[in-house]
């Protein structure tokens, strides 16, 4: 595992902001992603953002909203560290152009809003690859002057071939074949390496079989997104497998807030990430917590 606390030992604002979002005992993080509205509108589970986040905030180490989500739905007194979504300009209404993103939040605004860092999507292999890498490099360059954390996401837009690696299933809903899994590994290894070479402090990507190789290839520590909502057992399994393979946590959205029991799910994910619980143990925990207030 590439540990976040392997960072150079002298004081820096960047390191101190890392310390805010990483658990000092496990060295890992549970980052809650609630930024989906920037291109999805109001997806299931985020229709009422305030209602969704309030019960989940006590269980995450940091939270990642959009600027609009933060200003409209967060209590200004919240203590949870904020990682702002910093790019957008796309929407599901133009699926063919999902990889065409611009910077939507300035670094000055991030500082003003007391964000500790930002996320930006890099669409590796897609038509707007260069522009989205430029978003990462430009934002990182400026954000690092103020010690803010840069998280680069290996995003796939509406590409049908790449999309199945995110969904964990084929377009027709069938299981991924051995060939698909090989392609996913090859693609994610490449994309994570590219994003890290371009300066992201942390890379957010999707889990795939052989994930150790993705971790090994990537120059920066990795957190996993959850992707499309999967059954609880499966989501806990890929979380466990990713952490075992060396991921330093999750930046997860739909598999938490779209779960039938989001508060139980985030605690189960936490138990895997911070307490080294197996997926089976975390599922037992989930079952014992579900339905409880
Ligand atoms: C898109 C994104 C998301 O909006 C989101 O953060 C993904 O999280 P999840 O897949 O766990 O719902 O990163 O590229």
């Amino acid at each position: 595992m590439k540990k976040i606390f392997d960072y150079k030992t002298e004081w820096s604002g960047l390191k101190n902001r890392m310390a805010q979002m990483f658990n000092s005992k496990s060295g890992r993080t549970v980052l809650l992603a609630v930024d989906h509205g920037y291109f999805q509108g109001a997806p299931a589970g985020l229709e009422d953002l305030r209602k969704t986040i309030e019960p989940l905030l006590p269980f995450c180490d940091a939270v990642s909203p959009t600027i609009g989500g933060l200003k409209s739905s967060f209590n200004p007194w919240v203590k949870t560290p904020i990682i702002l979504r910093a790019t957008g300009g796309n929407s599901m209404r133009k699926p063919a152009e999902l990889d065409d993103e611009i910077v939507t939040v300035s670094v000055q605004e991030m500082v003003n809003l007391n964000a500790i860092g930002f996320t930006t999507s890099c669409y590796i292999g897609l038509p707007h690859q260069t522009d989205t890498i430029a978003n990462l490099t430009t934002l990182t360059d400026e954000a690092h002057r103020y010690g803010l954390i840069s998280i680069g996401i290996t995003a796939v837009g509406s590409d049908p071939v790449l999309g199945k690696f995110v969904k964990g299933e084929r377009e027709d809903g069938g299981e991924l074949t051995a060939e698909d899994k090989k392609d996913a590994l090859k693609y994610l290894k490449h994309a994570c390496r590219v994003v890290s070479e371009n300066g992201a402090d942390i890379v957010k990507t999707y889990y795939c079989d052989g994930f150790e190789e993705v971790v090994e290839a990537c120059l920066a520590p990795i957190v996993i997104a959850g992707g499309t909502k999967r059954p609880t057992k499966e989501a806990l399994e890929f979380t466990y497998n990713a952490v075992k393979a060396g991921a330093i946590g999750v930046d997860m959205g739909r598999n938490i807030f779209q779960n039938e029991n989001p508060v139980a799910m985030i605690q189960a994910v936490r138990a895997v990430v911070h307490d080294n619980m197996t997926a089976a143990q975390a599922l037992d925990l989930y079952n014992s917590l579900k339905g409880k207030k």
Side-chain angles (χ1 to χ4, degrees), residues 13 22 52 57 59 92 123 125 140 178-179 181 185-186 191 197 210 213 263 265 274:
F22 284 91
T52 303
L57 284 177
F59 302 105
M92 298 289 268
Y123 293 86
T140 304
E179 204 55 34
K181 289 182 182 175
L185 178 59
K186 199 169 159 201
E197 292 273 3
E213 288 186 38
V263 177
M265 185 57 175
H274 290 316

Side-chain angles (χ1 to χ4, degrees), residues 216-293:
E216 188 60 35
C218 184
L219 302 178
I222 290 185
V223 289
I224 59 150
T228 315
K229 156 88 170 70
R230 311 295 296 170
T232 304
K233 182 168 176 285
E234 197 184 314
L236 291 172
E237 276 167 0
F238 70 66
T239 302
Y240 173 77
N241 290 336
V243 167
K244 199 165 128 222
I248 55 159
V250 298
D251 180 358
M252 191 176 276
R254 288 162 288 180
N255 275 286
I256 293 174
F257 63 72
Q258 289 180 349
N259 185 279
E260 299 69 23
N261 299 279
V263 177
M265 185 57 175
I266 195 168
Q267 290 179 83
V269 169
R270 231 188 132 71
V272 171
V273 171
H274 290 316
D275 306 327
N276 293 315
M277 264 195 198
T278 63
Q281 288 169 328
L283 187 62
D284 285 346
L285 175 67
Y286 170 88
N287 284 327
S288 71
L289 291 171
K290 71 180 184 198
K292 281 193 187 155
K293 284 257 170 194

Side-chain angles (χ1 to χ4, degrees), residues 33 35-36 38-39 85 121 153 155 204 206 225-228 251-255:
D35 58 344
H36 307 61
Y38 88 91
F39 71 107
R85 154 61 66 170
S121 297
I153 304 169
K204 168 178 174 175
Y206 296 90
T228 315
D251 180 358
M252 191 176 276
R254 288 162 288 180
N255 275 286

